[in-house]
Amino acid sequence: MTMAEGHEVDVVVLGSGAAGLTGALRAALLGDAAVVLEKSGVWGGSAAMSAGAVWVPNNSKMGEVGIADSDEDAWAYLEAVTEGKVPAQDRRAFLDGANRMVEILERDTGVRFDPVREYPDYDGFAPGAKAGGRPLEPLPFDGNLLGEDFATLHPCYPGELIFDRFMMRIAEARALMQPGVKPKLGLLAGLGRYALRSRSRRRWHGRDPYLTLGQALTARLRAELKARDVPVRLNTTVQRLLTANGRVVGVELATGETIRARKGVLVATGGFERNNDMRKRYQPLPVDAGWSVGHEGNTGDGLALAEQVGAVLDTAMMHNCWWSPAVLPPGQPTAWVLVIEKSLPFSFFVDRAGRRFVNEASNYNNIGQSMYKAQAKTGKAIPAWMIFDAKYRKKFPIGPVKPGMLQPDRRVPEPLRPGGGWLHKADTLAALATEIGVPASNLAATVERFNGFAKQGEDPDFHRGETLNDLHYSDPVVTPNPSLGPIDTAPFYAVEVFPGDLGTKAGLRTDTNARVLDVDGVAIAGLYAAGNVTSSVMGGSYPGAGGTLAPAMTFAFLAVEAMSVDVDAVVE
Ligand SMILES: Cc1cc2nc3c(=O)[nH]c(=O)nc-3n(C[C@H](O)[C@H](O)[C@H](O)COP(=O)(O)OP(=O)(O)OC[C@H]3O[C@@H](n4cnc5c(N)ncnc54)[C@H](O)[C@@H]3O)c2cc1C
């Protein structure tokens, strides 16, 4: 088929994650015809697996939860955490654009957010940090409203399912970790609602249509696209960007079909976290695509497509990821990130020499970065070990293994059970050290020192438990510091920890309107990009919960708005 015979729209969007769905919706709101092309057989990308938090500093909803913010504080915080590595105009575009995006989505569509009051910024020492309210959470959504398209929404990340069955909101899930009966009432309500949905679950072969977190975010965006007749084509791979007169004018699919874009092409194909060759070429070693929990379709396609038309990769940024410590439980569909576990008392991380190397309760991105720093120094931090005692095991989960009070060791499925090679267990610390090949004297000394810190409630080595973020996932009944509990009760456990990630965050260089830049820093006409296919406005930082979805959605929004302006400028 020739191009003239192909399909024609205003905006072609590659990828159906956070950036892609938001960009397509902005196009529809502007009256533009758009199509979303998704390579895989399911839509939603990593965004559908995410916790759905969208970090918008100084958002208009913070007042509702009694937290004051200001543009000055937002600016100071972003400036501090990005360490001068991100151009000021890009940070400005994000801060202004994110607020405008939320306001327009809420005003003109059914996308709705609540501020999460108790979700502190991830760097509590930075100026302008807030105790909460900047992360916005999508309101729950009934998947039935999507009709048959619910069946092809990418499933949520398995760790987001309570009792492997149903979802809860961010604050409700965190409340389950709090002491007392009241915080658990949400669980009863959740169970009750779940029981009432048995008929609709049958329709979806057991999948529960009550959606929260990233499932609710992507489902809401998709529902709004459906209402405006914007198609999302699954199993559709773009093999080439089409150009004419120095401008990107459309795409060619693997089938040979062409789709012409009157205004522009938005590349929103996610990162390259699942491309092992690229990981090893651009990132610190050791690294492995299997340590990522990012979407399996995120293999860096958008980078290659854009390079073919003159885009250059931002090599100075390519080593970055949205890091998180992760475990690799056997028999599971994915790695598991230790977002909660890493911070809980009666546990710590050590390298293979038995020495701590990081504040385990600091944000997960910092832990990944610290693992690589320690590895460069000692060669012994990847993989590291998470060590914990019987008190931890009883109360808290570790990856897919539920707390011992719900799932004692004998009821843990075979490959995950102690003795299966993944979860190690011993009656003494010395025996545990021998089992995992760590010098026993070092481990004993580290435990002794850490237990002393736990007693005094301070960690002078790594400052664990000093910020609100450190205490976000902790145990309030543990005193004097809820993040620091001694490792002193047998049996003792260990599990290997890897620098996993939620996705890569670098590649195409873009301007404040998400136009893709060439080697000279000049915008390639007709080509725009947003999300993890681009070099992040957050630099190497992870500022707070939602720090990846917010820029992905914002720059997709700005890209599509710019398309109309840019194309008009050409016509004039
Ligand atoms: C478990 C988990 C929890 C997370 N929680 C949060 C959170 O609460 N807040 C937050 O901010 N971030 C979170 N993240 C990270 C966040 O989900 C991602 O950073 C974000 O989704 C990136 O958006 P994106 O649009 O760039 O890519 P994605 O959402 O990953 O979407 C990319 C899509 O492009 C498709 N694609 C790839 N190649 C092609 C091609 N050639 N043609 C067409 N389509 C293609 C992919 O199949 C995929 O569907 C989380 C991630 C995970 C895995």
Side-chain angles (χ1 to χ4, degrees), residues 177 346 390-397 403-405 475 477-478:
M177 318 271 308
F346 321 121
K391 302 193 296 311
Y392 179 105
R393 173 75 188 94
K394 185 174 174 197
K395 278 186 106 166
F396 307 127
M405 58 190 169
D475 186 350
V477 300
V478 173

Side-chain angles (χ1 to χ4, degrees), residues 354-365:
R355 299 201 169 91
R356 286 179 74 210
F357 56 91
V358 69
N359 168 4
E360 299 87 348
S362 62
N363 74 70
Y364 33 91
N365 189 54

Side-chain angles (χ1 to χ4, degrees), residues 46 48-52 119 154-170 172-174 176-177 187 212-215 293 327 329 332-341 396-403 416 473 502:
S46 288
M49 302 155 75
S50 76
Y119 214 147
H154 193 293
C156 72
Y157 170 67
E160 292 167 349
L161 286 177
I162 308 294
F163 298 134
D164 303 325
R165 284 189 162 72
F166 62 91
M167 305 188 77
M168 293 181 88
R169 301 186 64 179
I170 290 175
E172 288 171 338
R174 178 168 172 264
L176 300 180
M177 318 271 308
L187 179 61
T212 63
L213 314 182
Q215 295 270 292
V293 294
V327 291
Q332 296 291 306
T334 170
W336 280 64
V337 281
L338 302 182
V339 170
I340 296 173
E341 293 92 326
F396 307 127
I398 176 71
V401 175
K402 296 175 184 51
L416 302 174
Y473 290 112
L502 309 176

Side-chain angles (χ1 to χ4, degrees), residues 20-33:
L21 295 178
T22 308
L25 183 53
R26 186 61 183 134
L29 291 173
L30 291 170
D32 290 338

